[in-house]
Amino acid sequence: MIKKGNNFYTIVIVQILLFIIIGCNAENLGITLNHKWSSDKVFKVPESVNYDNERDLLYISNISGNSSGKDGNGFISQLKLTGEINNLKWITGLNAPKGGSIYEDKFYVSDIDELIEIDIVKGKIINKYQIQDAIFLNDVATDDSGNVYISDMSSKNSAIYKFTNGSISKWIEGEEISSPNGLCISNNKLFVGNSGDGKIKSIDLNTKEIKEIAEIGSGIDGLKIDSKGNIFISDWQGRTSVVKKSGEIETLLNTVKEKINSADIELIQKKNLLIIPTFFDNRIVCYEIK
Ligand SMILES: [Ca+2]
Ligand SMILES: [Ca+2]
């Protein structure tokens, strides 16, 4: 009788352990990246990738040289989703273009201390807005109404600007906005990746209420959110991670040792693609999210 009882409890314990192990694995197996293609090394310090859903093209910001150099050699490339170049020098005459965002037929890109407005149909720069006090503008995000948010990552001017109806003003600054880099809008909130305090925060677009989402502990360059609330982030050094809804942080890719950077990523959820610009490595690399 006693022996039978022990067996019963052993079976129950084993079943519980198996349930926990399988459960944990299912969570860990949630997201993996499978390499799909790498472009040729034709880019010049590519900082960010933006997907144009309407035209099924990728726009690559090429800093070309120093990240804050006003050298006039920065450009935007068009790349097909197969990794083939569509137009390497689609837009020229920029300095050091970085993050971008598309709203209707306009593509907005930051360029050191200016916001550049590009007419996508014409393939032309239609406006260059000088931003007062801006030092090192980085990422750009647009909301549903076409307002544009721009981060200034410089420690001397940690702030987020807002462009609305043709004019730009400082939208938010202060202790919580610590050298902001990556921006992304989801559910009426602006998600910010601070490279200063290494935290992801959300800011309510109406009330400006700030909430801490996760502490990453290192620089956050790109930041993109899927419809499930998973936050894909890149650390410029070469790490690409996902912060799951549960708060768990999982590293998907680490190329720090190979000295391959991971700059401002793009997520194309409907195609399960994550696209990484490799900065000093001068390529664009595409992964399938599994
Ligand atoms: Ca340049
Ligand atoms: Ca960036």
Side-chain angles (χ1 to χ4, degrees), residues 47 99 138-139 181-182 221-222 264:
E47 146 76 15
N138 206 307
D139 209 358
N181 189 337
D221 196 335
D264 183 357

Side-chain angles (χ1 to χ4, degrees), residues 133-137 151-159 178-180:
D133 300 329
I135 298 171
F136 196 84
L137 298 174
S151 61
D152 189 331
M153 195 186 133
S154 70
S155 54
K156 280 186 186 160
N157 189 44
S158 271
S178 171
S179 294

Side-chain angles (χ1 to χ4, degrees), residues 77-182:
S77 311
Q78 281 183 335
L79 187 65
K80 292 180 188 171
L81 278 185
T82 52
E84 265 176 285
I85 300 283
N86 195 57
N87 188 346
L88 185 65
K89 296 208 168 174
W90 175 49
I91 303 288
T92 56
L94 301 171
N95 290 313
K98 296 183 186 71
S101 189
I102 296 162
Y103 182 78
E104 293 178 343
D105 286 337
K106 306 269 180 64
F107 180 44
Y108 296 94
V109 189
S110 77
D111 193 3
I112 307 175
D113 54 1
E114 291 176 312
L115 178 69
I116 311 293
E117 189 173 25
I118 295 162
D119 183 312
I120 298 173
V121 179
K122 291 178 186 157
K124 259 186 179 173
I125 294 170
I126 50 171
N127 271 306
K128 287 188 178 184
Y129 300 96
Q130 181 76 37
I131 302 187
Q132 204 187 353
D133 300 329
I135 298 171
F136 196 84
L137 298 174
N138 206 307
D139 209 358
V140 179
T142 43
D143 67 18
D144 293 342
S145 316
N147 300 305
V148 185
Y149 300 82
I150 313 113
S151 61
D152 189 331
M153 195 186 133
S154 70
S155 54
K156 280 186 186 160
N157 189 44
S158 271
I160 297 168
Y161 289 85
K162 183 178 178 181
F163 169 82
T164 185
N165 299 323
S167 69
I168 301 176
S169 57
K170 211 172 253 188
W171 184 65
I172 196 164
E173 63 184 333
E175 221 173 73
E176 300 274 8
I177 311 300
S178 171
S179 294
N181 189 337

